[in-house]
Amino acid sequence: MTIAVKQADIDPKVQPVAIPAVPRPKEPAHLIKSDAEAIAVAEDLARRFAEGASERDRQRIWPVAELDAYSQSGLWSLNVPKAFGGPGLSYVTIDKVIQIISAADPSIGQITQNHIGVVAAILTNSDEAQQKLFFAEVLKGTRFGNAFSEFGSKRAAEFETKFTDAGDHVLVNGKKFYSSGALLAHLVPIVALDDQGRAWYAIAERDAVGLQVIDDWSSFGQKTTLSGTVLIDNVRVPKTHLVPGYKGFERPTADGAIFQIIQAAVDTGIAEAAIKDTISFVRGSSRAWIDSGLEHAWQDPYTIQAVGDLTLRLHATEALLEKAGLAVDQAVENATAETVAKAQIAVAEAKVLSTEIAIAATNKLFELAGTRSTLGVHNLDRHWRNARTHTLHDPVRWKYAILGNYALNGVNPPVHAWS
């Protein structure tokens, strides 16, 4: 199934139209059995996703078939614990999978993020009955979307969306934006406050009455994350589907670090793709500079040095991402103030380098490849647009502050979803 929606087709004067829900999978998803299998499956999917990535970006084609293949591959259940029938793999592997997919198409990589984060939050905060309920859904291939952030609040952690008790269910009301994955999800976790101001995940059916997902995402990058508006009008959610997300931030847990480390993996994938395309273009299309006296652009010593620098920085980022994954594993296994802080710090380091290499690599591409690389036929600017858009999540200037305060003053990072 392929749906093409061009931004030019959306008239701002016309009332946005809610998009119907996609059907749930008819067959259970594949079950990944090892880290090696997860990487191999990701690499196979990435080859397929890369083929249409530029055209999906250019025409804003929704990745419907790609998401179905991705979630049915078993890669969306990697952090479901073995005790519940899942793979229970390391976050080192999960991050590598996200990097591989994001190098092919970072919009698809980003859509995975909130699903993985919600699975982690259920493990941290739900009772066993709720864990069994939702983990069984994930193993079937059910996708979580996201209705977390709100457009008009002063700070990201402030919410106006609320729910009220209605017996065996609650009624949720509010409005969300930046809702990556909600449009093509099967279940939509809505961050909503109870009468005490505590934030829960109210997990609604995508086709629930009163839940409307609007395709009004107009960013110049990450175009097919479809991260638009969710309207929530008296949406009925059974109490079995209320996850006490606030508990994950009342005490030290790995929940925030897990949300963050996926962001770093997406940016690392963007950088990897940009460096690959730089090398390909320089070797195949760029001309040697007039004063160099060289026959080929790939012989230019300044270009060689620059590609070496980018490659080094990418490998350093990958090393920190692996270190962060191991720290997250330890914090999931044994969440203490010390293990969680170490995970947060390691993830913050990876987030800084992944942001910087994504911006540097996508910018350097044009400097090294030359003017012809800017021609629309190549659509190489998608790498920069994607990097510039996605790295705006969780600004790195605050990551430096967290790192410095921890090293200099022994102050642990704040415990929330952005740290």
Side-chain angles (χ1 to χ4, degrees):
M1 178 180 182
T2 299
I3 304 173
V5 177
K6 297 181 183 179
Q7 196 61 37
D9 295 336
I10 301 173
D11 187 339
K13 296 179 182 178
V14 177
Q15 184 70 23
V17 177
I19 305 299
V22 295
R24 293 195 185 211
K26 295 180 180 179
E27 300 292 334
H30 174 68
L31 181 64
I32 299 289
K33 297 181 176 61
S34 68
D35 298 274
E37 183 187 6
I39 299 301
V41 169
E43 289 175 341
D44 179 62
L45 285 174
R47 282 189 289 270
R48 293 157 56 186
F49 295 170
E51 291 178 1
S54 178
E55 192 63 18
R56 285 192 297 274
D57 170 84
R58 192 193 305 276
Q59 299 292 333
R60 199 171 179 272
I61 299 172
W62 300 358
V64 180
E66 290 77 13
L67 276 186
D68 285 344
Y70 189 11
S71 55
Q72 286 298 103
S73 73
L75 294 177
W76 285 49
S77 66
L78 295 185
N79 62 337
V80 173
K82 286 184 171 65
F84 293 90
L89 297 188
S90 166
Y91 277 94
V92 174
T93 299
I94 294 170
D95 299 337
K96 189 62 181 177
V97 164
I98 299 300
Q99 179 187 340
I100 291 167
I101 297 296
S102 297
D105 187 332
S107 286
I108 295 176
Q110 184 184 343
I111 290 173
T112 331
Q113 186 230 0
N114 292 300
H115 173 94
I116 291 172
V118 169
V119 171
I122 291 169
L123 179 61
T124 301
N125 304 304
S126 296
D127 60 24
E128 186 176 358
Q130 194 170 62
Q131 290 170 344
K132 286 182 178 178
L133 171 69
F134 284 123
F135 292 159
E137 286 293 327
V138 172
L139 292 172
K140 290 177 186 176
T142 299
R143 295 192 295 261
F144 291 121
N146 123 64
F148 300 166
S149 298
E150 299 183 7
F151 196 75
S153 59
K154 290 184 178 179
R155 284 169 285 274
E158 294 180 357
F159 307 104
E160 294 182 1
T161 300
K162 296 180 174 64
F163 67 82
T164 54
D165 197 316
D168 64 349
H169 64 279
V170 298
L171 296 174
V172 190
N173 287 277
K175 182 178 181 179
K176 300 290 186 174
F177 196 61
Y178 304 117
S179 303
S180 304
L183 198 149
L184 298 178
H186 306 118
L187 292 171
V188 180
I190 305 165
V191 172
L193 305 181
D194 62 15
D195 56 7
Q196 299 179 51
R198 300 176 302 184
W200 297 66
Y201 298 109
I203 301 181
E205 292 287 339
R206 170 62 178 81
D207 58 358
V209 175
L211 181 68
Q212 297 184 74
V213 183
I214 311 298
D215 179 29
D216 57 355
W217 180 240
S218 61
S219 173
F220 61 62
Q222 295 296 93
K223 289 183 178 181
T224 56
T225 59
L226 311 171
S227 304
T229 299
V230 176
L231 303 176
I232 307 150
D233 182 15
N234 278 331
V235 172
R236 179 177 176 138
V237 175
K239 287 184 176 175
T240 55
H241 286 49
L242 276 181
V243 176
Y246 67 90
K247 291 183 178 180
F249 305 109
E250 286 186 334
R251 68 193 193 284
T253 73
D255 284 9
I258 289 169
F259 276 106
Q260 287 288 295
I261 198 171
I262 304 301
Q263 304 280 28
V266 172
D267 294 330
T268 305
I270 294 173
E272 178 187 350
I275 294 169
K276 179 181 177 181
D277 279 354
T278 300
I279 293 169
S280 177
F281 205 95
V282 167
R283 290 196 62 85
S285 300
S286 299
R287 295 184 296 182
W289 180 238
I290 188 172
D291 295 327
S292 69
L294 299 170
E295 191 71 22
H296 303 288
W298 45 264
Q299 297 171 314
D300 186 326
Y302 301 113
T303 299
I304 291 171
Q305 186 275 337
V307 170
D309 178 70
L310 291 173
T311 303
L312 170 64
R313 294 175 187 276
L314 174 64
H315 291 167
T317 303
E318 291 173 329
L320 280 184
L321 197 60
E322 181 176 351
K323 176 185 175 184
L326 292 171
V328 169
D329 287 341
Q330 292 176 355
V332 170
E333 180 69 24
N334 179 32
T336 67
E338 181 181 6
T339 60
V340 169
K342 286 183 177 179
Q344 290 175 301
I345 290 298
V347 170
E349 291 175 339
K351 185 67 169 60
V352 168
L353 284 199
S354 63
T355 292
E356 293 182 350
I357 185 58
I359 296 298
T362 57
N363 186 50
K364 204 76 173 177
L365 187 162
F366 301 103
E367 176 187 334
L368 300 179
T371 306
R372 66 180 64 184
S373 67
T374 67
L375 297 178
V377 67
H378 304 301
N379 197 29
L380 292 173
D381 61 294
R382 73 185 187 278
H383 296 308
W384 182 89
R385 289 186 284 103
N386 290 333
R388 185 63 283 176
T389 299
H390 189 261
T391 56
L392 295 176
H393 283 278
D394 325 302
V396 294
R397 61 186 181 275
W398 281 91
K399 302 301 182 189
Y400 277 110
I402 286 173
L403 296 173
N405 216 13
Y406 182 80
L408 183 63
N409 300 314
V411 176
N412 287 348
V415 179
H416 54 57
W418 298 268
S419 174

